[in-house]
């Protein structure tokens, strides 16, 4: 057959072109095009998930999987909203032929029609005067319906935040939401599926049998008939939407529907669900076979729609966005203690290592985990492997997208745990690992005993963790140290420091005079500590039980009481451990940075301690919850403020979705000069200040603040975004000052061991001398505040990807899902509001310039209005 050109008649305009033309006419009438959307990061994380998983768009997905162009139209605002997104790996910006475009158009048209048929959020809203006037009253009714339960304390003594203090979107004064709900109820007919509240905190699924003035007759799934008032009923989603992989797809986005969807998936070990741009990860507390090389292949090869949401998908989006948009990315993992943040961070790192590996440094990065977990994690009542520090790891990539280095930044290690733990909790894993796993030579050199012989480890009566072999963990940690190139000498020195801390804990004192002054008991503990610290035992004894005060003319030696001496021993142990931790992180960073070649491209993974609320909360909880407030602010800013401001700036018809802004709580904590931290710092400068004077001061200056409540004695309450927490002022000033007496610092500085010297230098860097006395340059809280500011600045320079980890129960049990607990976590982080915004907002955005470059097809004369 001879090859000859066949001239085809001009193709009739496609349905899409017809539609675009009608839009163009409308636009021309408006004359002015809306200003370009602010340059916002565009990444695959923002692909229209509403299109991804829906059955109605099967043919569309087929086209997507062939790396073709796809155009979608949002139904809520059809006249002025065209969303164009792309999918595929090779060169997805180019539309191969008009045939393909036509195919896409047809599929796309089908999709629009199905969306319109389905109703979704575009259900017409009822707006009768009667309903408007009943608004105020019904707001109260709805608040009742949605307040699932009040504040509680769990059997393990953990105080749950009072639910009445956590606003849900449904209890917010959002008229549109209220009207929508009214319309939904109005639309309920016989045989409609509904959720009804059978008892205080129990929502059941049923079918409407009858509708009366008083409410509804509902038949539950077991055949019982209930009379249900209209305030206790909510529409349920059709069965076809059971277990959707993005909450955005739910027609009805009420709390029982969301909870049911998550529970339905969880029961099938499907732990990941999208909530618009946020990935929800429910901790399975068991191994699920959804990780590893095979799964990495699936997710990296764009076949992820087969398997649905996964943290691999989030990591993949971040990686591809980094390459394609040439923008740094961040993956921000948040959630309560025990929700699975650290595991999620590790899984993310593993995926990135698989994707960007090849140079070997990725293995080093992964091996930092066992080391940091050994030194920075501990068993708590909530989590057997709780991170007691915050961590940001920046993974650097070269121009070819391969990992070329990393940097770890840590935040506020919980020092107090070294010397004291609550009953049933442990100190840092590394102590138990060392005691269980050291070989005989090391054991002899450190004069090491069993963990049960050390007061710092045995006081909480918890030496082992179920199913964890500390000796084996120690061997893994040693291997990791080798991989990360921590020299044998440094390893040995580090173990000496650990043993020194343990022996310090066994140092005891005896009363030496009638004024209750003490001397150090000369025994194995003090001798071993002195040997391990390479310092003179007499000097160590003197530094622990006396204090030298230097005046202009003389040096006065003051003897210490038992409490003072014990405090100074504990302060020394804490200072050694904390600076050892920092030294270790610096060492790791040096090793990882050696391979770093500056490309400027990175993905940062943030795994920071989750919100904490216990029966007794003190300085550590205040700092941890403050960090979470900052992160929540970042979340709010990106997913609510910027999102909605963008629409407003564009002049787009937009019904504002309210969210709980936590700015007031942040102001309460960090504002100068009358914030909590400033007042605490000021009180810490008064030598005679006590817990009572601090409480009085806080009460005096903060009592007018709606986020603050003075309780009684030494307790105050702060209303956080995640609930109210009662803090004790007991011990808070010492922790904030975090002083180490100059004599002890001097002693460490005079050690013959270079590591001890360098630890002393680290500690003394945080101090300055005022009138011969060592005082902190900045208090711990102020230093932490500065670190958080820097962190936020850094995150602002990245495109964020949010992962919300959810704890399904408080017992670390597999297959146990507590609706209340999940709801509380979803509510406090504003997940439902995010879904609402995402559902009614743009899934993807380009500037007109980007649009024209990426989608040349639309630059065609027929769509020149673009
Ligand atoms: N994806 C997962 N698969 C299997 N088990 C998991 C997963 N995620 C978490 N877990 C289990 O839950 C435990 C707690 O998780 P993790 O330590 O990551 O919580 P966390 O949110 O980091 O807590 P903390 O704030 O106390 O550090 C893990 O030790 C592990 O047993």
């Amino acid at each position: 057959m001879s090859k000859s050109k066949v001239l085809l008649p001009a193709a009739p305009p496609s349905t899409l072109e017809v539609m675009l033309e009608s839009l163009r006419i409308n636009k021309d009438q408006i004359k002015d095009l809306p200003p370009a959307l602010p340059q916002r990061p565009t990444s695959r994380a923002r692909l229209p998930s509403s299109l991804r998983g829906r059955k109605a768009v099967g043919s569309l997905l087929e086209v997507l999987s062939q790396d073709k162009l796809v155009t979608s139209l949002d139904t809520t605002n059809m006249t002025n909203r065209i969303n164009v997104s792309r999918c595929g790996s090779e060169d997805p910006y180019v539309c191969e032929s008009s045939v393909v475009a036509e195919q896409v158009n047809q599929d796309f048209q089908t999709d629009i029609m199905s969306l319109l048929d389905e109703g979704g959020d575009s259900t017409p809203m009822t707006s009768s005067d009667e309903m408007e006037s009943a608004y105020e009253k019904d707001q109260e009714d709805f608040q009742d319906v949605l307040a699932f339960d009040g504040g509680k304390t769990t059997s393990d003594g953990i105080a749950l935040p009072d639910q009445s203090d956590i606003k849900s979107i449904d209890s917010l004064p959002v008229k549109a939401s209220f009207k929508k709900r009214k319309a939904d109820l109005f639309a309920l007919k016989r045989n409609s599926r509904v959720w009804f509240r059978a008892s205080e905190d129990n929502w059941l699924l049923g079918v409407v049998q009858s509708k009366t003035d008083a409410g509804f007759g509902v038949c539950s799934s077991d055949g019982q008939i209930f009379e249900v008032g209209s305030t206790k009923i909510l529409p349920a989603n059709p069965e076809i939407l059971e277990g959707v992989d993005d909450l955005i797809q739910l027609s009805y986005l009420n709390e029982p529907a969301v909870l049911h969807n998550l529970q339905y998936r969880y029961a099938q070990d499907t732990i990941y669900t999208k909530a618009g741009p946020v990935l929800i990860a429910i901790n399975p507390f068991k191994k699920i076979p959804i990780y590893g090389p095979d799964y990495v292949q699936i997710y990296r090869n764009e076949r992820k729609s087969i398997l649905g949401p996964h943290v691999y998908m989030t990591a993949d989006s971040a990686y591809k966005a980094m390459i394609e948009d040439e923008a740094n990315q961040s993956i921000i993992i948040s959630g309560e203690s025990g929700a699975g943040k650290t595991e999620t961070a590790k899984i993310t790192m593993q995926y990135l290592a698989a994707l960007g590996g090849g140079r070997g440094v990725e293995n080093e990065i992964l091996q930092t985990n066992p080391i940091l977990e050994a030194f920075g994690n501990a068993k708590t009542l909530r989590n057997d492997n709780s991170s007691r520090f915050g961590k940001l790891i920046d993974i650097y990539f070269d121009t070819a997208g391969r990992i070329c280095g990393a940097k770890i930044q840590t935040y506020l290690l919980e020092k107090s745990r070294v010397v004291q733990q609550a009953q049933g909790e442990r100190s840092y894993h590394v102590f138990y690992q060392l005691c269980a796993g050291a070989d005989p030579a090391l054991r002899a050199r450190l004069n090491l005993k069993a963990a049960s012989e050390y007061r710092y480890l045995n006081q909480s009566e918890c030496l082992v963790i179920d199913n964890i072999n500390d000796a084996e963990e120690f061997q893994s940690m040693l291997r990791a140290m080798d991989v990360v190139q921590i020299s044998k000498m440094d390893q040995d020195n580090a173990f000496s420091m650990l043993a020194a801390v343990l022996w310090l804990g066994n140092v005891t004192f005896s009363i030496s005079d009638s004024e209750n002054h003490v001397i150090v008991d000369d025994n194995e503990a003090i001798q071993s500590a002195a040997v391990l610290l390479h310092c003179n035992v007499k000097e160590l004894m003197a530094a622990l039980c006396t204090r030298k005060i230097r005046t202009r003319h003389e040096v006065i030696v003051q003897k210490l009481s038992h409490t003072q001496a014990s405090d100074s021993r504990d302060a020394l142990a804490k200072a050694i451990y904390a600076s050892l931790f920092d030294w270790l992180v610096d060492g790791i960073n040096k090793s990882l940075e050696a391979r770093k070649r500056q490309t400027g491209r990175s993905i940062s993974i943030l795994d920071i301690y989750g919100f904490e609320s216990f029966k007794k909360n003190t300085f550590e909880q205040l700092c941890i919850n403050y960090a979470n407030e900052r992160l929540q602010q970042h979340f709010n800013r990106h997913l609510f403020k910027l999102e909605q401001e963008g629409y407003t700036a564009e002049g787009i018809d937009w019904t504002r979705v309210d969210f709980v802004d936590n700015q007031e709580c942040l102001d309460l904590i960090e504002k100068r000069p009358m914030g909590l931290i400033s007042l605490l710092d000021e009180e810490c400068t008064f030598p005679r200040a006590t817990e009572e004077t601090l409480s009085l001061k806080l009460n005096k200056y903060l009592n007018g603040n709606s986020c603050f409540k003075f309780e009684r004695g030494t307790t105050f309450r702060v209303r956080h975004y995640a609930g109210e927490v009662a803090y004790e002022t007991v011990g808070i000033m010492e922790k904030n000052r975090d002083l180490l007496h100059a004599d002890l610092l001097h002693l460490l500085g005079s050690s013959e061991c270079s590591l001890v010297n360098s630890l002393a230098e680290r500690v003394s860097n945080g101090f300055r001398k005022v009138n011969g006395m060592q005082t902190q340059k900045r208090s711990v809280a102020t230093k932490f505040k500065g670190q958080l500011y820097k962190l936020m600045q850094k995150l602002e320079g990245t495109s964020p990807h949010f992962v919300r980890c959810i704890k399904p129960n408080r017992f670390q049990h597999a297959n146990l899902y507590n609706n209340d607990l999940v709801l509380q976590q979803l509510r406090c982080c504003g997940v439902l509001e995010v879904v609402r915004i995402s559902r009614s907002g743009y899934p993807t955005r380009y500037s007109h310039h980007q649009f024209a470059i990426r989608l040349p097809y639309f630059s065609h004369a027929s769509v020149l209005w673009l």
Side-chain angles (χ1 to χ4, degrees):
M1 229 171 99
S2 66
K3 283 184 186 172
S4 63
K5 270 193 178 172
V6 179
L7 282 178
L8 294 172
S14 71
T15 45
L16 177 64
E17 282 166 343
V18 171
M19 209 176 302
L20 290 175
E21 177 63 12
S22 82
L23 285 173
R24 185 182 68 78
I25 292 164
N26 278 345
K27 286 269 168 177
D28 284 348
Q29 285 164 0
I30 301 168
K31 291 275 183 256
D32 274 339
L33 284 171
L37 281 171
Q39 190 92 5
R40 300 215 38 210
T42 51
S43 76
R44 279 157 199 273
R46 299 190 62 79
L47 278 175
S49 42
S50 55
L51 296 182
R52 268 202 302 263
R54 292 175 56 246
K55 293 189 174 74
V57 293
S59 52
L60 185 72
L61 285 177
E62 261 172 51
V63 179
L64 290 179
S65 64
Q66 291 161 22
D67 295 347
K68 306 302 180 219
L69 177 81
V70 61
T71 310
S72 78
L73 201 97
D74 195 296
T75 53
T76 351
N77 230 336
M78 282 185 63
T79 52
N80 60 357
R81 300 173 58 178
I82 297 179
N83 303 322
V84 181
S85 63
R86 61 188 181 72
C87 191
S89 58
E90 304 267 312
D91 187 6
Y93 307 125
V94 182
C95 190
E96 284 179 6
S97 74
S98 61
V99 179
V100 172
E102 181 62 21
Q103 169 67 49
V104 172
N105 294 339
Q106 280 166 11
D107 291 334
F108 164 53
Q109 190 69 9
T110 317
D111 188 46
I112 294 167
M113 297 322 292
S114 68
L115 271 172
L116 290 173
D117 288 341
E118 207 175 76
D121 238 8
S122 56
T123 315
M125 287 174 180
T126 316
S127 59
S128 72
D129 290 342
E130 195 187 336
M131 279 170 68
E132 292 286 331
S133 64
Y135 175 70
E136 294 297 339
K137 185 188 173 308
D138 281 51
Q139 280 298 308
E140 288 163 25
D141 291 345
F142 279 125
Q143 288 208 14
D144 284 343
V145 176
L146 292 154
F148 278 26
D149 68 353
K152 287 178 183 172
T153 304
T154 60
S155 52
D156 53 2
I158 296 162
L160 295 178
D162 190 340
Q163 294 299 325
S164 60
D165 289 313
I166 302 170
K167 277 188 184 175
S168 83
I169 182 67
D170 297 309
S171 61
L172 287 170
V174 181
K175 272 199 175 186
S177 160
F178 160 75
K179 283 191 207 167
K180 167 87 167 66
R181 199 102 51 82
K182 276 284 186 188
D184 287 344
L185 284 185
F186 187 70
L188 288 182
K189 296 189 179 63
R190 193 178 154 76
N191 289 334
S192 294
R193 276 160 59 90
V194 288
W195 288 105
F196 66 99
R197 201 178 182 192
S199 60
E200 190 53 31
D201 51 8
N202 187 18
W203 287 82
L204 293 181
L205 194 59
V207 172
V208 172
Q209 293 292 303
S210 58
K211 199 170 171 181
T212 64
D213 288 346
F216 297 83
V218 181
C219 178
S220 65
S221 48
D222 61 359
Q224 287 189 65
I225 303 289
F226 290 80
E227 284 296 322
V228 185
S230 58
T231 58
K232 295 186 171 162
I233 195 163
L234 291 166
N237 289 292
E239 262 171 283
I240 196 169
L241 294 179
E242 200 95 282
V244 291
D245 63 15
D246 191 337
L247 298 178
I248 226 171
Q249 297 162 34
L250 292 177
S251 297
Y252 299 110
L253 194 65
N254 50 50
E255 287 173 341
V258 167
L259 286 173
H260 174 70
N261 197 71
L262 294 177
Q263 185 170 18
Y264 181 91
R265 291 170 67 79
Y266 178 75
Q268 297 168 7
D269 288 345
T270 312
I271 59 169
Y272 298 110
T273 305
K274 291 281 283 184
V278 179
L279 180 74
I280 296 179
I282 304 190
N283 189 341
F285 288 116
K286 65 177 179 186
K287 284 203 161 41
I288 301 182
I290 53 170
Y291 309 108
D294 293 346
Y295 281 82
V296 168
Q297 281 309 319
I298 290 174
Y299 280 91
R300 75 188 296 179
N301 290 336
E302 300 281 333
R303 290 188 289 137
K304 42 193 160 224
S305 55
I306 302 170
L307 294 175
H310 196 292
V311 68
Y312 282 176
M313 198 191 250
T314 307
D316 196 72
S317 301
Y319 181 79
K320 294 204 167 114
M322 178 191 69
I323 306 268
E324 289 166 8
D325 305 335
E326 295 184 3
N328 290 346
Q329 309 287 312
S330 56
I331 299 175
I332 300 168
I333 306 170
S334 55
E336 276 191 13
S337 176
K341 298 180 294 295
T342 306
E343 291 301 318
T344 304
K346 284 192 281 187
I347 295 165
T348 307
M349 285 161 76
Q350 279 156 8
Y351 185 81
L352 292 177
L355 223 60
R359 294 179 151 202
V361 67
E362 68 278 5
N363 192 33
E364 276 184 52
I365 296 172
L366 294 178
Q367 288 305 314
T368 60
N369 287 320
I371 305 172
L372 290 178
E373 283 187 23
F375 282 81
N377 286 26
K379 176 187 173 354
T380 67
L381 292 177
R382 279 104 26 224
N383 183 0
D384 287 352
N385 184 31
S386 184
S387 308
R388 309 314 297 163
F389 67 107
K391 181 175 80 174
L392 178 80
I393 176 157
D394 298 330
I395 303 180
Y396 300 104
F397 295 82
D398 64 16
T399 40
R402 281 180 308 171
I403 295 174
C404 57
K407 184 169 184 199
I408 295 168
Q409 163 80 56
T410 56
Y411 300 89
L412 197 66
L413 179 78
E414 186 188 38
K415 270 186 190 185
S416 58
R417 181 166 296 274
V418 175
V419 299
Q420 200 176 24
Q421 312 91 34
Q423 284 295 300
E425 298 199 348
R426 293 208 318 182
S427 181
Y428 290 100
H429 295 325
V430 72
F431 289 117
Y432 308 86
Q433 293 177 1
L434 178 68
C435 292
D439 62 33
L442 182 60
R443 196 169 280 282
R445 191 175 68 72
L446 305 180
N447 189 24
L448 204 58
K449 308 275 184 227
S452 57
E453 302 280 313
Y454 295 108
R455 201 182 59 86
Y456 281 162
L457 305 185
N458 63 22
Q459 56 181 311
S460 60
E461 292 173 357
C462 177
L463 293 166
V464 290
I465 303 175
D466 289 347
N467 305 320
I468 296 291
N469 182 329
D470 285 315
E472 281 173 15
E473 297 289 320
F474 185 67
Q475 294 309 319
S476 309
M477 204 234 344
L478 288 182
R479 283 194 293 275
M481 283 183 149
D482 290 340
V483 173
V484 178
Q485 297 169 35
I486 295 172
S487 70
K488 285 286 178 212
M489 197 178 83
D490 279 348
Q491 291 180 26
D492 275 355
N493 284 337
F495 298 143
S496 297
M497 293 305 101
L498 294 176
V501 167
L502 291 179
W503 279 119
L504 274 177
N506 281 7
V507 166
T508 51
F509 306 95
S510 299
I511 306 286
S512 67
D513 59 22
S514 57
E515 290 173 55
N516 276 343
H517 293 135
V518 292
I519 51 165
V520 177
D521 295 329
D522 190 357
N523 55 22
E524 184 184 24
I526 193 77
Q527 293 289 346
S528 303
V531 168
L532 292 162
L533 292 172
H534 295 268
C535 61
N536 182 293
V537 67
K538 294 274 177 249
E539 285 174 19
L540 178 59
M541 288 164 103
L544 287 175
C545 64
T546 59
R547 209 165 269 177
K548 288 199 194 94
I549 301 170
R550 288 169 181 82
T551 65
R552 190 175 289 205
H553 305 294
E554 57 182 345
V555 176
I556 301 166
V557 178
Q558 186 190 31
K559 290 183 182 171
L560 301 184
S561 68
H562 195 282
T563 312
Q564 287 171 324
S566 305
D567 286 349
S568 103
R569 172 200 61 203
D570 290 349
L572 179 62
K574 286 189 285 184
I576 293 172
Y577 190 79
S579 42
L580 179 70
F581 183 76
D582 289 345
W583 167 85
L584 191 66
V585 174
D586 282 355
I588 291 173
N589 278 336
K590 269 190 203 118
S591 163
L592 298 179
E593 268 189 35
R595 312 279 176 85
K596 177 183 145 192
R597 261 174 227 117
Q598 277 293 351
T599 65
R601 290 289 156 251
S602 66
I603 298 179
S604 306
I605 303 170
L606 182 70
D607 165 21
I608 210 156
Y609 13 53
F611 183 80
E612 291 188 350
S613 175
F614 310 133
K615 265 187 179 164
K616 275 200 170 161
N617 302 287
T618 174
F619 184 72
E620 286 83 2
Q621 279 68 46
L622 185 63
C623 290
I624 288 172
N625 293 341
Y626 168 41
N628 278 276
E629 289 286 355
R630 272 258 142 248
L631 281 185
Q632 184 64 20
Q633 174 88 170
H634 185 70
F635 183 84
N636 286 347
R637 186 175 139 70
H638 281 266
L639 297 179
F640 297 116
K641 288 186 188 163
L642 291 181
E643 186 80 12
Q644 305 202 75
E645 276 169 21
Y647 296 131
T648 312
E650 281 270 307
I652 290 164
D653 180 18
W654 175 257
T655 307
R656 208 182 130 71
V657 174
D658 277 348
F659 60 94
V660 185
D661 192 348
N662 64 340
Q663 187 57 51
E664 205 177 343
C665 186
L666 274 173
D667 287 347
L668 168 77
I669 298 172
E670 66 184 18
K671 211 166 182 180
R672 293 174 71 187
M674 290 303 166
L676 255 169
I677 292 179
S678 296
L679 294 170
L680 171 62
D681 281 359
E682 189 185 78
E683 200 62 7
C684 285
T685 59
F686 300 133
R688 286 174 190 276
T690 62
E691 280 121 19
E692 285 74 24
T693 59
L694 173 65
S695 301
L696 287 174
K697 183 175 220 144
L698 297 182
N699 188 30
K700 183 174 169 192
Y701 292 105
L702 300 177
N703 225 1
N705 190 305
S706 68
C707 293
F708 180 87
K709 202 158 92 194
F710 183 65
E711 190 101 300
R712 79 201 124 70
T714 54
T715 308
F716 65 91
R717 285 178 170 269
V718 174
R719 197 154 56 82
H720 289 284
Y721 75 95
E724 203 172 278
V725 180
Y727 296 98
E728 296 275 339
T729 54
V730 179
I732 213 166
M733 284 192 293
E734 286 73 45
K735 287 179 177 170
N736 191 41
R737 287 190 191 114
D738 193 28
L739 290 177
L740 184 69
H741 197 264
D743 297 353
L744 290 168
L745 252 180
H746 187 254
L747 179 92
L748 293 182
S750 66
S751 164
E752 286 157 20
C753 168
S754 60
L755 174 59
V756 181
N757 295 155
S758 88
L759 298 187
E761 206 180 309
R762 276 168 194 280
V763 180
S764 64
N765 279 343
F767 291 108
R768 65 172 169 212
K769 266 196 174 165
V770 178
N771 297 332
M773 295 282 286
Q774 299 280 358
T775 45
Q776 278 275 22
K777 278 184 194 153
R778 287 189 300 161
S779 74
V780 176
T782 299
K783 213 155 79 189
F784 187 53
K785 180 170 128 180
Q787 272 198 317
L788 287 181
Y789 281 168
K790 272 195 193 150
L791 171 67
M792 291 304 133
Q793 251 172 358
K794 183 178 184 119
L795 293 180
E796 277 303 322
T798 64
S799 301
H801 303 255
F802 294 98
V803 182
R804 284 282 180 183
C805 296
I806 301 280
K807 190 157 71 167
N809 63 72
R810 294 201 181 273
F811 311 103
Q812 304 180 59
H813 283 182
N815 310 321
L816 184 61
Y817 183 95
N818 178 329
N819 261 327
D820 283 351
L821 186 64
V822 174
L823 178 64
Q824 175 211 326
Q825 293 167 79
L826 291 177
R827 273 183 181 175
C828 73
C829 62
V831 162
L832 294 191
E833 292 91 326
V834 171
V835 177
R836 272 177 221 281
I837 288 191
S838 314
R839 188 154 67 166
S840 45
Y842 287 97
T844 262
R845 62 214 71 210
Y846 293 132
S847 67
H848 290 152
H849 179 68
Q850 282 174 315
F851 183 91
I853 292 175
R854 295 187 170 210
L855 302 157
Y857 166 74
F858 288 100
S859 306
H860 189 265
S862 67
V863 287
L864 259 184
W865 57 273
L866 282 169

